[in-house]
Structures are given as structure tokens and as C-alpha cells.
Amino acid sequence: MIRAMRRAGPAVALIVLLTAGCEEPAADGAADVPAEPLPLVRVADDGRGFVRDTPAGPRPFVPWGFNYDHDGAGRLIEDYWHDDWPRVEQDFREMRALGANVVRVHLQLGRFMEAPDRPNPAALDRLGDLLGLAERERLYLDVTGLGCYHKQDVPAWYDRLAEADRWAVQARFWQAVAARCAASPAVFCYDLMNEPILPGKGKPATEWLAGEFGGKHFVQRIALDLAGRSRHEVAKAWVETRVGAIRARDARHLVTVGVIPWAHVWPKAKPIFYAPEVGGPLDFVSVHFYPRKGEVDKALRALAVYDVGKPVVIEETFPLKCGLEEFERFIEASRGRAAGWIGFYWGETAEDLARKQTIGAAITRKWLEFFQERGETMKQANAS
């Protein structure tokens, strides 16, 4: 059906989605009545999950969505959202049709900051358009910032900055983004940075970006040298200054930071960004899990390490390192601790992928089918 909608065009696609039950039908004579604004999402009173504050009272909310980090050609959203906006609209409709309620978008610092003290107005305006699109499609955004995924797009002036000046630029980025997002009900959360890391004790680093994966640098250092500080002290100062920048412009939307679960690599590892003395300003835990073949139980034990009294969202997950059967087992077993799951969508439907004769396409197609088939069960069962 999604493939047919793509051929039919945006207007017809929207009509199909509405009549197919993706939105509640309007009462007779009320077809032109605007939809109610999206309710604000907050942490539930028990601290274990989320609720939406609806006119009828708080209603459980379980994030079930996609990372929309790049398209099938590897382009980041800022690479095409100015020249090919209809593509973004189409992708959001498709993610909604697949059952998503959250979309995680990744904003690159170099596209949002023209200079150390000057945000990019065009990028902020397009972010405003994205918020409007999310509101219309009734999708919440996980707004992840400070990305430097394409090394060639990182401004040379940014790489030359000392730690304090770099942190100041990051704070200005978040002030500008939060100011643009503050009034929108479509914001689920702000994610301070994707997978920040710290240097080792007595082991200064020389590069802000860590290893490359698929032509992208997803991991970034927040300091090059501990300079006599503990790792927890650096993490605490970094979290507090970025959260403070957001709170100066937006006091109501949730804040988190998506981390690598080092306990998945080293079973005795403890969280740094979610340690009691560091994670106080963060509203919930975001961790990224790709369970390995034959190691589902190990992944579940690592997940338990991040159960620190706040809701836990598995903000990245995908059957990248194991088969779909083991991946399903991980998702099912994680329901005792996780309050939400966010996988991946790269701009191609299951029907698109079925036409490709590659292993990668087959894995992604099966993932999308799983996501659509299990969505309502996961959202309802965990909302009880």
C-alpha cells in the first residue's frame, strides 16, 4: 500500500492514510476540524515510563520509532532537506504508516552554526518546517544535536577551538535549537550528543572524532585531556552546561544523552553519564544496543546496568549483529526494563527493499516488517 501511495503523490497518500485508520475518523460534518495539538510527553509519576498529558488526563506513552539519520544513499537530512523537501514529507508519512510515534533526527553542528557566535537562520527555519511536519503527521521528534558525522563538513574553525570555546559553541547551538523548538508540542526530547566519550586517564587524545563507521563519525569526544579532572567531573560539567543552555530557552521538554553501553563490552563497566553525580539533569536514560549472535543474555545483563531509577529508552537498535529471531528475543526480554525502542528507517519501504537482491536489503526489509507487526503490541503492552 505504501508503494502505491508514493506513486499517487502526497495529497492522495494523505487521504489514504487518514481513511486507513492512521488517524481517528472525524465525526460527521467535522472533516475540516484541525486535529487536537499533540499532548506534551513527560516522565510518568512512578519514574518508570512516560505519559502524555491529554485533556482527559495522563495517558501512557511508549516511544516506538525510527532513527532517521540518513537516506539510502548515505546523505544526512541536511544534505537534502532544502532541495528535496517532498522526500522528507514522504518519509515521515511512511514512518507514520509503519506505526512509528517517534522519529530521531540528527542535526549537524556545522550546518547550524555559521560561526562560533552565529547560528544559521536557514537551518533553523528548516527545523521549524520539520516541527510543523511532525505535528501534522502526529510524530514526536527526538532532536539529537552537535553531530559531526561527515568529517569533511565539520568547520575548520570548530576543530581548532580549545575545549572551553568548543563547549561554548555547543551551548549556543543548543540555545538556538531549543528556542526554535520550545513552542512545538512535537518534541519528545533533546539528545545532547550522539555517543559522547571521554579520553582515558593519563591518555590525552588528539582528535575530537573517534572511529569511522560506514563513512560516518558517530562518536565524538567531549574533551581531549582530563587535565587532572576525573572522568565523572568532566562529564558532569559538560552535561550541566548543555542542559543549562537548553533550559534557558525551553523548560518543559525532556533532555537525555544517547550513550554506548560500555557494560555490553566490559561487563563490570558502570555508567558515567548516568552515574548519580552526573546524570541528575537528564530526564531519562538513552542507550544504544545491537545484540550479538549468541549473546542476547549478555546484552540484557548490560541493559540492567542502566536501570538507575529513570525511564530507559533503547534509542538505537537493529538486527545488525544477530539474526532476527535472536533480535526479537532481545526486544521481548527487554520489555521488563525498557520504556521505548527506536530502530532505523532509511527512506525505503519493505516493498522497495524486496526489489533489491542484497543481504542488507533483506535484513532491513525483515526489520521493517517486524516493526510494523509488533508495534501495537509493544506500545499497548508496555503502556499498562
Side-chain angles (χ1 to χ4, degrees), residues 287-360:
V287 285
H288 301 169
F289 272 94
Y290 300 88
R292 293 180 178 273
K293 181 179 179 180
E295 297 184 358
V296 171
D297 291 337
K298 181 181 178 181
L300 293 170
R301 287 193 295 271
L303 178 62
V305 173
Y306 293 85
D307 190 350
V308 296
K310 297 182 178 184
V312 177
V313 172
I314 299 178
E315 194 186 35
E316 287 186 18
T317 193
F318 189 78
L320 181 67
K321 300 177 181 180
C322 68
L324 189 59
E325 183 176 340
E326 283 190 299
F327 180 77
E328 288 188 48
R329 178 170 163 250
F330 169 74
I331 295 295
E332 179 66 27
S334 70
R335 289 166 58 183
R337 298 190 187 276
W341 300 261
I342 305 178
F344 287 87
Y345 182 77
W346 294 304
E348 295 179 294
T349 67
E351 292 179 352
D352 294 328
L353 294 162
R355 301 176 189 277
K356 295 185 174 183
Q357 303 298 315
T358 66
I359 295 175

Side-chain angles (χ1 to χ4, degrees), residues 40-329:
L40 181 71
V41 177
R42 62 174 175 84
V43 173
D45 292 341
D46 65 4
R48 303 298 300 176
F50 306 95
V51 295
R52 300 197 303 169
D53 283 328
T54 73
R59 293 291 182 267
F61 178 75
V62 178
W64 179 254
F66 295 111
N67 280 268
Y68 184 62
D69 57 335
H70 61 77
D71 68 2
R75 298 182 304 167
L76 305 174
I77 188 172
E78 296 104 333
D79 294 335
Y80 57 90
W81 70 351
H82 287 295
D83 298 330
D84 195 5
W85 182 249
R87 170 64 181 272
V88 180
E89 293 178 312
Q90 173 180 287
D91 288 344
F92 267 61
R93 287 193 298 270
E94 291 175 352
M95 287 187 282
R96 173 66 174 170
L98 286 165
N101 56 22
V102 170
V103 176
R104 185 181 182 218
V105 293
H106 302 245
L107 308 183
Q108 309 306 299
L109 182 136
R111 298 299 180 93
F112 276 80
M113 298 297 295
E114 295 180 335
D117 58 351
R118 189 172 68 250
N120 184 326
L124 290 169
D125 286 346
R126 192 48 111 186
L127 176 59
D129 294 335
L130 192 71
L131 291 164
L133 173 61
E135 290 174 23
R136 292 192 300 276
E137 294 300 326
R138 305 194 71 75
L139 290 166
Y140 290 93
L141 297 182
D142 174 336
V143 181
T144 299
L146 305 179
C148 294
Y149 296 174
H150 284 173
K151 190 172 185 178
Q152 67 272 18
D153 293 335
V154 178
W157 56 260
Y158 185 54
D159 263 346
R160 289 194 297 264
L161 295 177
E163 178 188 295
D165 295 326
R166 188 177 177 95
W167 284 21
V169 171
Q170 293 173 359
R172 294 185 195 110
F173 167 98
W174 273 120
Q175 285 182 332
V177 169
R180 184 54 59 100
C181 294
S184 175
V187 176
F188 167 53
C189 70
Y190 301 109
D191 180 336
L192 300 180
M193 178 188 283
N194 184 70
E195 299 179 352
I197 60 172
L198 292 129
K201 185 177 180 180
K203 298 179 180 179
T206 58
E207 296 286 340
W208 290 105
L209 301 183
E212 179 181 327
F213 179 78
K216 294 176 172 54
H217 294 264
F218 294 109
V219 180
Q220 189 174 164
R221 295 182 178 90
I222 63 173
L224 296 179
D225 190 344
L226 294 180
R229 302 164 295 181
S230 72
R231 290 161 61 83
H232 287 79
E233 287 172 336
V234 175
K236 181 177 187 292
W238 184 84
V239 167
E240 287 178 346
T241 53
R242 260 124 295 277
V243 174
I246 291 172
R247 291 298 178 226
R249 300 291 185 267
D250 184 349
R252 64 178 189 153
H253 290 122
L254 304 175
V255 181
T256 189
V257 60
V259 300
I260 300 169
W262 292 113
H264 195 194
V265 181
W266 299 292
K268 294 183 179 181
K270 300 296 182 183
I272 291 182
F273 290 94
Y274 293 106
E277 65 270 37
V278 176
L282 302 172
D283 294 297
F284 66 93
V285 175
S286 292
V287 285
H288 301 169
F289 272 94
Y290 300 88
R292 293 180 178 273
K293 181 179 179 180
E295 297 184 358
V296 171
D297 291 337
K298 181 181 178 181
L300 293 170
R301 287 193 295 271
L303 178 62
V305 173
Y306 293 85
D307 190 350
V308 296
K310 297 182 178 184
V312 177
V313 172
I314 299 178
E315 194 186 35
E316 287 186 18
T317 193
F318 189 78
L320 181 67
K321 300 177 181 180
C322 68
L324 189 59
E325 183 176 340
E326 283 190 299
F327 180 77
E328 288 188 48
R329 178 170 163 250

